[in-house]
Amino acid sequence: MSQTERIIKGAEDLFLTSGIRSITMDDIARHLGMSKKTIYQFFRDKNELVVALTKKKLQEDEDQINEIEATSNNVIEEMINTTKCSEEIFSRINPVVIHDLQKYHPEAWTDFQNFKANFLIQKMEQLLTKGMAQGYIRKDIDVKIMARMRVNQVELGFNTSIFPLAEFSPWKVQVQFLDHFNYGICTLEGYKLLDEYKKENNE
């Protein structure tokens, strides 16, 4: 692992658990056991580090989604595999990260919004269209509306003004949204297959 990668990984560990704003370059240096001066040789400031981390995470997400699509036998399996993948991600994220990114790091936030608009929504539209052809997704739904709704639900689930951390587990909120969406778009055949996959995964 290069020094740059090590710094990004160290920042990720702290940001995901504590949010971005509350973590300083001193905190990251202490966490990594290196001097702050060393970090500044690679990143001009914390914002540049946040942007680099965001680009890295978005690329990893894109690669993972493409791999799930390539290795799944049908759209229902793809949906289940995406859920399992999401669980690992969402269970580690402090919702404050989303707020901090939007408020204090506009360049990184723009990258995230572009990723949603240019990749995630497009992938969701493709998934729904493919599912219709396979007979698992209802043909009466509007693909463009449902794709945008689902992608933006994730952000909504991390909104602590709507789902305060004292009352709601971020991952539980995401699971409820996901289940509601998945069962709502399925045909009867898709519903049955979704149930079968869920039972297999719960055993």
Side-chain angles (χ1 to χ4, degrees):
M1 185 183 289
S2 69
Q3 279 283 59
T4 304
E5 290 169 334
R6 190 168 162 242
I7 293 166
I8 290 174
K9 178 67 173 66
E12 178 185 351
D13 293 341
L14 296 177
F15 291 158
L16 288 185
T17 53
S18 305
I20 300 170
R21 190 185 181 200
S22 63
I23 298 298
T24 65
M25 294 296 253
D26 284 314
D27 294 328
I28 296 167
R30 265 195 304 274
H31 178 66
L32 291 168
M34 67 172 61
S35 71
K36 193 164 67 169
K37 186 179 176 182
T38 302
I39 296 177
Y40 282 125
Q41 287 174 1
F42 297 92
F43 297 98
R44 188 171 59 249
D45 52 30
K46 189 170 89 169
N47 183 66
E48 191 172 273
L49 177 52
V50 170
V51 170
L53 172 58
T54 301
K55 289 183 187 298
K56 171 181 171 283
K57 295 307 292 179
L58 294 179
Q59 186 58 57
E60 286 175 0
D61 287 350
E62 183 173 333
D63 293 342
Q64 209 162 23
I65 289 166
N66 285 331
E67 185 182 353
I68 288 170
E69 182 184 20
T71 56
S72 299
N73 293 314
N74 55 64
V75 294
I76 303 298
E77 188 177 321
E78 198 173 324
M79 285 155 59
I80 289 290
N81 289 337
T82 301
T83 302
K84 286 192 288 186
C85 166
S86 301
E87 180 173 5
E88 192 274 325
I89 297 167
F90 293 145
S91 62
R92 294 189 302 120
I93 294 180
N94 183 328
V96 175
V97 171
I98 304 294
H99 171 267
D100 287 352
L101 202 64
Q102 182 176 11
K103 191 167 184 181
Y104 304 108
H105 301 280
E107 185 182 343
W109 181 253
T110 298
D111 286 341
F112 175 57
Q113 294 301 312
N114 288 339
F115 178 72
K116 274 182 13 183
N118 300 328
F119 180 75
L120 289 182
I121 289 174
Q122 184 182 28
K123 278 291 180 186
M124 183 56 69
E125 288 179 2
Q126 290 171 0
L127 176 83
L128 295 173
T129 303
K130 186 166 56 178
M132 287 177 180
Q134 292 175 1
Y136 297 128
I137 303 296
R138 289 165 41 203
K139 290 186 176 178
D140 62 326
I141 65 170
D142 187 306
V143 167
K144 289 187 176 295
I145 293 173
M146 288 296 107
R148 280 159 180 73
M149 183 191 83
R150 175 61 203 131
V151 169
N152 285 285
Q153 274 181 338
V154 175
E155 213 171 293
L156 176 66
F158 283 119
N159 188 326
T160 54
S161 64
I162 299 173
F163 299 103
L165 286 175
E167 293 179 55
F168 299 96
S169 153
W171 170 236
K172 190 172 182 181
V173 172
Q174 296 295 343
V175 168
Q176 289 287 302
F177 279 176
L178 200 50
D179 274 352
H180 180 266
F181 178 79
N182 286 348
Y183 281 106
I185 61 174
C186 282
T187 59
L188 186 57
E189 189 180 353
Y191 191 102
K192 288 174 182 173
L193 189 57
L194 188 57
D195 260 354
E196 284 175 23
Y197 276 119
K198 286 190 75 173
K199 283 173 187 171
E200 285 176 16
N201 280 284
N202 290 333
E203 287 174 359

